[in-house]
Amino acid sequence: MRHGSSHGRRTVAYPGAGARRWTAVIRTLAARRLRFLRRLPGAPPGPWARLLCALVAVALVGAAAPPGDVSGLFGAEVRRMPTERRVVALTFNAAWDAEDVPEVLRTLRQRKAPATFFLTGQFAERHPRAARAMAAEHGIGNHSHSHPHFDGLSRAETREQVLRADRAIRRATGTRPLPFFRFPFSAITPRGIARVNALGFADIEFTADTNGYLGTEGGMTVDKAVRRALDALTPGEIVQLHVGTSDQGVRGLDARALPRIIDAVRDRGYRIADLGDLARGKAAR
């Protein structure tokens, strides 16, 4: 089955690699009970030192905790970042195989470009190492559990698809995903958006899809994939790419198109922005 027309940076406030380092710091401070304080003149006695340690831990956790409020994005499908700055967001859908994940992550790392990956729950269950590698460096969104057409689902089925995927992604990555959802197959309806919003997720779609997942068998080339991303270049553009394909024997083109897209976007005076900033109350910059 082909995917259809739809088809997903670096974690700062969200619990990715940086937040895990803060968690380790907090645990170390708690374990040591701020022993260094006891060596200071006028240091508080044991119970007070423990209390101070707890307060420090709470403060650090609060600083690292994600705000997660994306209610300002509710009520509509988001197809570009709300900004007039010359920025572009890269997103990848991950629903099938993980063959291209190492190459994609390597390219993003080498070019210091953030991205957001929209995972299905089944992908996270089948490829937990790939899911963890993505989450260690980039934001993670929700692409449903089993990649169905949402326009035919009931409210209960929609809830099950979204929340089951959320649980699978959390288990596989050990992080809290971004409150972003992307509908499979672009099967988007106002009712579907309202149901997803009610679960706390904003519907993040795309400005342009490279269609690289179709492969040469589907009439695509790397040149065409790059051109589709650049033809839609506009402030706040959200580019949709894929890791893997739905058809066995078809090799996706997006991993090869990615470095050319990044370089071409920057050559045109645009910067690669972190889509996750939308969930952190920051303007794309």
Side-chain angles (χ1 to χ4, degrees):
M1 178 184 69
R2 289 207 181 278
H3 194 289
S5 62
S6 160
H7 302 292
R9 158 185 128 126
R10 199 167 293 144
T11 49
V12 179
Y14 286 82
R20 284 196 292 272
R21 286 194 292 271
W22 275 113
T23 301
V25 171
I26 293 169
R27 289 174 177 170
T28 299
L29 288 175
R32 294 178 180 177
R33 299 181 181 179
L34 297 181
R35 291 174 184 171
F36 69 93
L37 287 176
R38 298 178 181 177
R39 295 195 294 269
L40 298 177
W48 289 102
R50 287 193 292 271
L51 175 60
L52 182 57
C53 176
L55 292 174
V56 170
V58 169
L60 288 174
V61 170
D69 182 10
V70 290
S71 58
L73 302 175
F74 287 0
E77 55 190 87
V78 177
R79 291 205 170 266
R80 58 178 293 271
M81 293 178 287
T83 182
E84 295 307 315
R85 296 175 182 269
R86 294 166 68 87
V87 295
V88 171
L90 301 174
T91 67
F92 291 83
N93 293 356
W96 305 296
D97 63 83
E99 182 178 0
D100 293 331
V101 171
E103 182 178 354
V104 166
L105 291 178
R106 183 167 56 251
T107 297
L108 294 171
R109 193 179 305 118
Q110 290 172 344
R111 282 170 167 73
K112 296 180 172 58
T116 302
F117 290 82
F118 286 81
L119 277 56
T120 66
Q122 290 182 341
F123 178 93
E125 291 170 347
R126 289 195 302 263
H127 309 289
R129 291 182 61 185
R132 284 194 297 273
M134 296 172 183
E137 301 180 61
H138 303 278
I140 302 297
N142 186 319
H143 196 37
S144 81
H145 185 71
S146 62
H147 207 271
H149 285 83
F150 270 67
D151 50 358
L153 299 186
S154 67
R155 181 185 300 274
E157 290 169 333
T158 296
R159 178 182 178 85
E160 173 66 11
Q161 279 288 325
V162 175
L163 297 187
R164 187 176 177 187
D166 184 69
R167 292 191 297 269
I169 291 168
R170 289 171 185 257
R171 283 195 301 268
T173 64
T175 66
R176 179 177 178 179
L178 294 162
F180 295 162
F181 181 82
R182 176 171 286 168
F183 284 91
F185 303 106
S186 281
I188 307 164
T189 63
R191 181 177 59 187
I193 292 174
R195 289 172 176 175
V196 168
N197 291 166
L199 296 173
F201 294 82
D203 173 28
I204 306 296
E205 297 301 327
F206 53 91
T207 315
D209 185 342
T210 64
N211 280 353
Y213 75 96
L214 293 172
T216 55
E217 294 82 355
M220 287 299 296
T221 65
V222 172
D223 286 342
K224 288 181 180 179
V226 173
R227 187 159 59 249
R228 285 179 63 87
L230 297 180
D231 284 350
L233 193 60
T234 188
E237 179 189 8
I238 301 173
V239 181
Q240 176 172 268
L241 306 98
H242 293 78
V243 293
T245 66
S246 60
D247 294 340
Q248 291 185 352
V250 175
R251 178 67 189 274
L253 304 172
D254 283 334
R256 283 180 281 167
L258 178 60
R260 291 178 52 184
I261 291 173
I262 294 173
D263 293 347
V265 163
R266 288 172 169 168
D267 287 345
R268 286 161 174 75
Y270 282 72
R271 296 193 306 108
I272 308 299
D274 185 352
L275 186 65
D277 282 346
L278 295 180
R280 293 188 278 271
K282 300 178 182 178
R285 50 188 180 175

